[in-house]
Amino acid sequence: MSETGLTIDMGRPSIAAMKRMASTASLGALMTLAGCVSINAPDKPIEINLNINVKQEVVYRLDNQAKTVIQSNPGIF
């Protein structure tokens, strides 16, 4: 059997011809899908709400001597 052109002796497409047809068909499908994808910027600005509550508690302990100093001199702080 000798391969001539696109067909073998019995009129069936050769393997190389089938590969070329498959690659052409898949390339055509990809080209038709390429026009379907579009990216557009939004009309309104993107708004991100971050509702964060920050609580800070400072706990300090004073010994009795420091308490008496603060009580006797209230204007130092």
Side-chain angles (χ1 to χ4, degrees), residues 3-8 14 17 20:
E3 237 179 275
T4 58
L6 296 177
T7 61
I8 303 178
S14 66
R20 281 191 297 252

Side-chain angles (χ1 to χ4, degrees), residues 7-62:
T7 61
I8 303 178
D9 292 338
M10 298 183 159
R12 290 178 286 173
S14 66
I15 295 173
M18 289 172 52
K19 286 182 181 178
R20 281 191 297 252
M21 285 187 262
S23 65
T24 303
S26 57
L27 180 64
L30 286 175
M31 289 178 67
T32 57
L33 292 176
C36 297
V37 178
S38 64
I39 299 173
N40 296 326
D43 295 336
K44 297 178 183 178
I46 298 171
E47 183 178 332
I48 300 173
N49 292 324
L50 297 176
N51 295 326
I52 299 173
N53 293 327
V54 178
K55 288 185 179 180
Q56 182 177 359
E57 294 182 16
V58 178
V59 178
Y60 58 94
R61 296 183 183 163
L62 300 174

